Amino acid sequence: MKFLAAVAVVFLATAAPALAVAAPAKPAAAKRVVLPTDVRPDRYDISIDPDAANLKFSGKAKIDLTVVRATDRIVLNAADLTFGEVRLSGQAAAPKVVLDDGRQTAAFVFPKPLAPGKYALSIDYAGKIYQQASGLFTLDYEDTDGTKRRALFTQFENSDARRFAPMWDEPGVKAVFSLTVRAPAGQMAVSNMPESGKTGDAVRFADSPKMSSYLLFMALGDFERIHKQVGKTDVGVIVRKGDAAKGEFALDAAAKLLPYYDAWFGTPYPLPKLDLVAGPGNSQFFAAMENWGAIFYFDYALLIDPKLSTEADRQNVFIVVAHEMAHQWFGDLVTMAWWDDLWLNEGFASWMENKATDHFHPEWKVWLSTQSGQQSAMRLDSRAGTHPVIADIPDVFAAANAFDAITYQKGQAVIRMLETYVGEDAFRTGVRNYIRDHAYQNAVSDDLWKALDKAAPTKKVVDVAHDFLLQPGVPLIRAKETAGGVALTQERFGVDASQRTPQTWRTPVNVRAANGHWLEVVSAEAPKTVPAAAPAVINAGQTGYFRSAYSPELWAKLAPTFASLPAADQLGLLYDSRALGETGAQPMSDFLALAKNTPPGADPVVLDALSSQLGALDWLYGGRGGQASYRAFARAQLSPVAARLGWDAKAGESDNAAVTRRNLLSQLGELGDPAIVAEARRRFDAWLKDPSTLTGAARRTVLSIVAANADEATWEAIHAQAKASKDPTDRARLYGYLGASENPALADKTLALALSGEPKPTEVPGLVAAVASSFPDKAYDFAMANRAKLEEFLEPTSRTSYFADLATASRDPAMLDKLAKLKATVPASSRGEVEKAEAAVRYRLGVIQTRVPEMDRWLATNGG
């Protein structure tokens, strides 16, 4: 699943002193809420008869099962299902049905214990069709002629297959699935496997491989399919009728990626077809889902429209396709045994998306871009509310908390660090052996480490992996010049008392200097000295997951070389100097001076990162004194870049330059640059008169700037465009722009619109979240006041994280009391999401109190 990360925020941290600490062991797990293991499903035969107009469906499930140990009941998962006749082969009497809504289970209780053996359980039932992406759900849209349409899709991860059919809805319980769907005339039904037959309007699909329940998929609607034969696999893209041309880019990407993955994993893709299925709408939680053989994507993550899409959209589509296709091996063919090893799916797919994208599009420099995601993980990982990558997950409700930057971005960062440490060839050999040995089965993290240790026996991969995955936190590597070279020591980088407990990590550290390159494993218990001549770069290439701190003497020699460093190391110095500056471990002037001295001709990814970092610091001011001086400083750094890039695309420029142009101009608009805002308004007015004057990135750039600086007339003009748009992706974006205004009255107007009934159900959460980007307290208060109504539009397992995310960017101490009240209303296993928001607000308040005045003093003498 391609997770949607929350908005990045600034951070405050401190370093814990280095002490001798024992290597981590996996903590004892809390008692898990799981199904009994005395009955095992072998095969499901599920028939679905949807009534889309009335948001309900009826179903029949025949489950071939094995009773492993004598028992008087069969317990499986069920949520929002009602039961009719239930029958078990060999049993004359129907069982008693006992429902547990809290645990989402149904127990079929028999008068006498069932003897071990094979049985067939037949169940008639009925369920709901939802209007948010959980279980079987609808996405409504209009054709270009205004005809209203309704399509059906399913979304089951992490625990919503139980809303589609009664089943063992746990990743460690694999079985074969057969699906039959009643499809109205003219509509296409889609599932994991090819169609195997049709009786009347009932479409039957071939049996799936043995797989976990959350990977089952169904779609039904007015679709068309484009496809290519790639080796033995029929690769297709399924879209709404009329959108076939928009799917060509994704189809081409999939056709390239499939043979690359076949070769890299050493195990060919095993299904006869692979479909990429587009759905018109949005989720507050995810962009795509890796259902085996039928990957689901929201339109914006799969389709390219030349009139509307940007260079960043093209990159994003390729990356998301690469991510979900990587899951066909890591996640689908080999599945984690339980949700505590979710990172095995998501961390690996996040890493592989970058590796594959870099292979086909090295010009995009994706390893540079991915550093911003790693920073999100480090921010979260250095404050209260973090968790180990391999975290205890007591129930499926807690599993929803694991879909975060720790699992995805830290997971992929650790994998990249390990690949660099053991070498590409040995790493790939270990992964190939792991996939081969666990195909169609479940696995745990140590299965992967054992395979890598065999492939690279001198590296002791398991030791490094356990240090980074079984304990939370971020290492801090300090570098100091000595007579023998550069001394490396380790501490802990943390933002509060919860993250100052000393820990040790066996950390692979790359050091590069003019006289050589070294790779050493450094820990709190084992400092190292390398014979590097200053200036030396630690974490050279930025492949390690740690913060880097240079002694003042070493920094004084390194900082002047900033412009000549590789782009990856420029990014590392920018990110680390800001992080350490906000802790007080180093002066904020280190970051501000680097920002001031970043050349306008630096790599576009570096300039993009600089722009976002300057924008994040601007958020700290929030109208406070000194903001005008800070904004003048930030604009002075970005304006020369904007002048060089201009407003319009240039022949022969790189895709990354185009991406940076849009982001940088938008940032200058948010910083109130009068010339930028005026030009955006001029282009916006021309576009209202003639829509052909703006397309693609230029259109989005102008809209983002005028939306942030909107008056009521501009807001109404964008609103009219949103209501008139027939493209679901464009419509949702236009509605989102309504929430971007920095005018509080317009923010109130947007919030009222959100629950007016005008936006489509999947657009409602995004409208409120858009307001939170400028007015987090206002958006949060609105959401709490309308909590019950808003929850109708939210996926059940992500409701807590949605409300907490609205508050995350707050600069008001009163928000902490509000979050405490929210935490008291949610299940204990979901409170970690609220604690993350609390920690974010606390450290932001600390930065505002201690570091903003320091910035003001520096700007007073150096800002010009």
Side-chain angles (χ1 to χ4, degrees):
M1 181 187 291
K2 190 64 175 176
F3 156 75
L4 298 180
V7 176
V9 291
V10 299
F11 51 95
L12 172 69
T14 57
L19 294 174
V21 182
K26 187 170 183 178
K31 185 177 180 180
R32 287 179 180 166
V33 180
V34 295
L35 295 171
T37 58
D38 42 21
V39 180
R40 181 189 69 234
D42 300 313
R43 183 179 184 277
Y44 297 90
D45 193 336
I46 299 170
S47 297
I48 298 294
D49 185 356
D51 181 357
N54 294 302
L55 299 178
K56 62 183 181 179
F57 71 95
S58 59
K60 296 179 180 291
K62 177 177 174 289
I63 309 173
D64 296 330
L65 55 84
T66 300
V67 174
V68 179
R69 293 180 297 275
T71 179
D72 69 344
R73 65 195 59 210
I74 298 173
V75 184
L76 40 64
N77 292 114
D80 284 347
L81 301 179
T82 57
F83 291 95
E85 186 178 6
V86 180
R87 305 169 302 282
L88 183 70
S89 61
Q91 299 293 306
K96 178 182 178 181
V97 180
V98 179
L99 301 179
D100 185 331
D101 292 337
R103 293 195 172 192
Q104 298 182 339
T105 60
F108 304 119
V109 183
F110 297 87
K112 296 181 180 179
L114 303 171
K118 300 286 186 179
Y119 297 83
L121 177 65
S122 299
I123 307 168
D124 294 344
Y125 66 98
K128 299 178 181 179
I129 298 177
Y130 300 87
Q131 291 186 286
Q132 71 278 351
S134 58
L136 179 60
F137 68 97
T138 68
L139 290 174
D140 295 343
Y141 62 96
E142 293 181 13
D143 286 340
T144 54
D145 63 2
T147 303
K148 293 184 177 181
R149 303 285 185 185
R150 171 166 285 179
L152 298 181
F153 304 89
T154 58
Q155 169 58 29
F156 295 156
E157 191 177 26
N158 58 306
S159 55
D160 285 327
R162 63 193 66 184
R163 300 178 188 276
F164 183 72
M167 64 179 71
W168 281 257
D169 194 15
E170 296 175 355
V173 186
K174 292 195 172 191
V176 173
F177 288 84
S178 174
L179 182 66
T180 300
V181 179
R182 189 188 67 79
Q187 293 197 352
M188 179 188 296
V190 183
S191 189
N192 307 77
M193 298 294 288
E195 181 180 325
S196 64
K198 194 170 184 179
T199 304
D201 59 1
V203 178
R204 185 175 184 83
F205 296 95
D207 283 7
S208 76
K210 191 176 180 182
M211 67 183 190
S212 300
S213 58
Y214 75 90
L215 298 172
L216 181 63
F217 180 74
M218 186 204 100
L220 180 65
D222 294 295
F223 303 143
E224 59 179 311
R225 182 176 187 264
I226 57 175
H227 66 108
K228 291 181 179 180
Q229 190 70 28
V230 181
K232 296 181 179 180
T233 307
D234 181 17
V235 178
V237 173
I238 295 173
V239 299
R240 291 173 289 124
K241 286 181 179 177
D243 274 356
K246 298 177 184 177
E248 291 287 354
F249 179 82
L251 179 60
D252 181 66
K256 291 176 180 176
L257 286 161
L258 187 61
Y260 173 80
Y261 283 155
D262 280 346
W264 199 94
F265 286 109
T267 298
Y269 175 77
L271 275 63
K273 65 98 173 174
L274 174 61
D275 282 327
L276 284 58
V277 184
N282 297 276
S283 164
Q284 71 276 5
F285 182 55
F286 74 103
M289 174 62 205
E290 66 266 20
N291 315 294
W292 208 359
I295 306 171
F296 174 77
Y297 301 79
F298 287 107
D299 279 2
Y300 70 86
L302 189 69
L303 305 184
I304 295 296
D305 184 336
K307 294 181 180 179
L308 300 174
S309 300
T310 68
E311 291 79 5
D313 292 331
R314 287 168 53 86
Q315 293 183 7
N316 184 64
V317 166
F318 193 98
I319 289 169
V320 178
V321 169
H323 179 102
E324 301 305 334
M325 286 183 62
H327 273 309
Q328 305 301 291
W329 287 264
F330 251 90
D332 297 3
L333 182 60
V334 182
T335 312
M336 75 263 162
W338 181 247
W339 298 108
D340 54 356
D341 273 319
L342 174 65
W343 89 278
L344 271 176
N345 289 12
E346 300 300 349
F348 195 93
S350 297
W351 172 79
M352 198 69 195
E353 75 184 34
N354 295 321
K355 191 169 187 69
T357 300
D358 188 60
H359 174 81
F360 288 104
H361 290 285
E363 74 279 8
W364 291 349
K365 301 181 181 179
V366 68
W367 288 119
L368 296 181
S369 300
T370 198
Q371 285 194 43
S372 64
Q374 184 170 321
Q375 298 307 306
S376 298
M378 285 186 169
R379 285 191 289 272
L380 178 56
D381 205 18
S382 58
R383 65 185 188 230
T386 188
H387 59 82
V389 173
I390 303 174
D392 181 38
I393 305 293
D395 55 41
V396 295
F397 308 106
N401 300 341
F403 290 87
D404 64 4
I406 298 297
T407 297
Y408 284 71
Q409 278 76 39
K410 182 177 180 179
Q412 74 90 13
V414 171
I415 291 171
R416 188 182 186 206
M417 180 174 66
L418 290 173
E419 186 202 29
T420 303
Y421 177 52
V422 304
E424 289 191 38
D425 291 344
F427 187 85
R428 182 175 56 193
T429 296
V431 171
R432 285 176 170 178
N433 293 341
Y434 166 84
I435 292 290
R436 180 199 63 211
D437 293 345
H438 299 279
Y440 304 103
Q441 302 174 50
N442 296 94
V444 297
S445 293
D446 276 353
D447 293 325
L448 177 58
W449 308 140
K450 290 174 184 176
L452 288 173
D453 269 341
K454 288 182 180 178
T458 65
K459 294 292 187 177
K460 298 182 179 178
V461 175
V462 68
D463 293 340
V464 176
H466 280 180
D467 285 355
F468 279 86
L469 300 176
L470 296 181
Q471 60 185 357
V474 180
L476 174 67
I477 301 295
R478 290 193 179 275
K480 181 179 180 180
E481 191 174 8
T482 68
V486 175
L488 306 172
T489 58
Q490 185 189 91
E491 302 174 12
R492 182 177 184 178
F493 182 81
V495 308
D496 51 35
S498 74
Q499 296 300 300
R500 292 176 189 148
T501 303
Q503 288 180 183
T504 188
W505 294 261
R506 282 158 283 199
T507 307
V509 178
N510 276 292
V511 180
R512 188 185 63 247
N515 63 327
H517 176 271
W518 298 265
L519 173 60
E520 295 284 353
V521 176
V522 180
S523 71
E525 298 168 324
K528 298 288 175 65
T529 297
V530 296
V537 175
I538 58 175
N539 201 10
Q542 305 302 303
T543 58
Y545 183 81
F546 57 87
R547 293 281 180 210
S548 303
Y550 297 86
S551 67
E553 297 78 13
L554 200 51
W555 180 261
K557 295 180 179 179
L558 180 62
T561 72
F562 179 79
S564 64
L565 293 175
D569 296 324
Q570 290 180 336
L571 286 171
L573 263 62
L574 283 170
Y575 287 133
D576 285 337
S577 63
R578 180 186 150 208
L580 292 165
E582 289 178 350
T583 71
Q586 291 181 190
M588 280 297 297
S589 59
D590 284 355
F591 169 78
L592 295 171
L594 286 183
K596 187 174 182 178
N597 295 319
T598 300
D603 188 282
V605 179
V606 174
L607 296 171
D608 206 347
L610 175 64
S611 173
S612 66
Q613 297 293 293
L614 291 172
L617 291 179
D618 179 65
W619 177 254
L620 298 176
Y621 280 93
R624 292 169 174 79
Q627 186 167 29
S629 295
Y630 175 80
R631 285 191 165 188
F633 168 78
R635 291 195 299 263
Q637 314 320 309
L638 301 180
S639 293
V641 184
R644 179 174 62 82
L645 293 174
W647 279 83
D648 301 308
K650 296 178 174 63
E653 72 179 1
S654 69
D655 287 350
N656 285 352
V659 172
T660 297
R661 171 189 296 109
R662 175 173 170 254
N663 293 342
L664 190 140
L665 289 173
S666 297
Q667 186 63 69
L668 282 168
E670 291 183 11
L671 291 168
D673 186 297
I676 295 294
V677 174
E679 177 62 13
R681 284 175 172 159
R682 185 191 70 78
R683 291 173 177 244
F684 177 73
D685 291 340
W687 173 70
L688 290 177
K689 296 173 184 176
D690 180 4
S692 68
T693 61
L694 287 177
T695 59
R699 181 176 183 267
R700 297 257 286 276
T701 301
V702 167
L703 282 168
S704 67
I705 295 170
V706 298
N709 295 276
D711 55 18
E712 186 158 0
T714 302
W715 191 96
E716 290 292 356
I718 297 174
H719 186 200
Q721 293 290 325
K723 288 192 292 184
S725 178
K726 295 296 189 289
D727 183 276
T729 298
D730 186 50
R731 173 188 161 96
R733 285 178 177 144
L734 288 166
Y735 271 108
Y737 286 132
L738 297 177
S741 173
E742 296 182 7
N743 183 320
L746 294 179
D748 288 334
K749 196 170 183 176
T750 303
L751 291 172
L753 175 66
L755 294 180
S756 68
E758 177 185 307
K760 295 187 183 300
T762 63
E763 294 167 346
V764 172
L767 265 177
V768 180
V771 173
S773 65
S774 295
F775 297 97
D777 304 276
K778 187 183 289 290
Y780 181 83
D781 291 346
F782 175 85
M784 289 295 98
N786 297 277
R787 183 174 179 178
K789 191 170 183 180
L790 194 53
E791 283 184 342
E792 296 174 9
F793 303 99
L794 300 172
E795 296 139 37
T797 57
S798 59
R799 288 170 180 168
T800 300
S801 60
Y802 175 81
F803 291 125
D805 285 346
L806 294 177
T808 296
S810 175
R811 298 167 295 207
D812 187 351
M815 181 56 74
L816 294 173
D817 290 334
K818 297 175 184 178
L819 286 170
K821 292 177 182 177
L822 172 64
K823 187 162 63 174
T825 68
V826 302
S829 60
S830 299
R831 290 175 186 165
E833 294 303 295
V834 185
E835 290 168 358
K836 293 173 188 176
E838 289 175 322
V841 174
R842 284 196 186 96
Y843 73 63
R844 182 176 303 103
L845 294 173
V847 174
I848 291 170
Q849 181 179 2
T850 61
R851 302 302 161 215
V852 169
E854 181 187 345
M855 291 168 58
D856 289 339
R857 290 191 294 271
W858 185 88
L859 289 168
T861 57
N862 299 277

